[in-house]
Amino acid sequence: MFNVIKDTHLVGRRIKLIFMDDPQPILPNEEGTIIGVDDINSYRVKWDSGRTLYVLPEDKFEILD
């Protein structure tokens, strides 16, 4: 058994999507705000379009300043 350290310090930060492999993806260059982190460090994002969708570790994205 191992412990996973959550990146909770990113909650509230802005994010910009580069690429998402999902049947109904968020479009590239869309921005949103990280509102949560789960046990595998997937980020729950409230996108500016109004959708809420997780960004997985294998997705490509940029944390904005």
Side-chain angles (χ1 to χ4, degrees), residues 7-16 31-38 41-48 51-55 61-64:
D7 285 336
T8 55
H9 67 282
L10 294 177
V11 172
R13 298 283 306 271
R14 298 283 294 164
I15 188 171
K16 179 178 179 180
E31 296 181 8
T33 303
I34 297 172
I35 59 173
V37 182
D38 70 9
N41 282 322
S42 294
Y43 304 120
R44 187 166 188 231
V45 179
K46 175 70 173 173
W47 297 97
D48 292 350
R51 290 179 67 188
T52 301
L53 189 65
Y54 279 91
V55 172
F61 56 91
E62 174 183 357
I63 303 294
L64 303 174

Side-chain angles (χ1 to χ4, degrees), residues 18-29:
I18 298 169
F19 174 79
M20 175 183 284
D21 185 16
D22 188 273
Q24 295 181 332
I26 298 297
L27 296 176
N29 297 315

